[in-house]
Amino acid sequence: MKQVDISHQPVELYKILKFEGLVASGAEAKTAIDNGLVSVNGDIETRRRKKMLHGDVVSFDGTDFQLRLQDVSNWSVYPFNFSSSRAAISVLVAN
């Protein structure tokens, strides 16, 4: 089973598929979820924004992925804003 490291929780389900490169885009991730192609902890999941936590197992396209929360206590945080986004984003950089 592949381990997927996350820096915070919860993480929305479609983002796991997107950022792990399992699909080409967020729209493709949402379509896969809508079509019942993704399961979480053994159950088919159709909620695109299902909140995923440490230890959850995502199954897609014949592969299982377990989420693992990284210890980011020794990382540096660099906050910045995108002008095209309303949300502030922080970048974590390993020391």
Side-chain angles (χ1 to χ4, degrees), residues 20-74:
E20 283 302 306
L22 303 173
V23 293
S25 67
E28 190 175 322
K30 291 174 183 177
T31 299
I33 295 165
D34 290 344
N35 290 333
L37 302 177
V38 180
S39 64
V40 174
N41 299 326
D43 297 319
I44 292 175
E45 183 58 67
T46 57
R47 292 174 289 175
R48 300 170 177 184
R49 296 183 181 267
K50 162 88 171 131
K51 305 301 186 225
M52 305 299 298
L53 303 172
H54 170 81
D56 284 342
V57 176
V58 178
S59 300
F60 176 70
D61 200 25
T63 306
D64 296 335
F65 304 87
Q66 184 171 38
L67 303 184
R68 182 175 62 187
L69 185 62
Q70 288 181 316
D71 177 16
V72 295
S73 60
N74 64 341

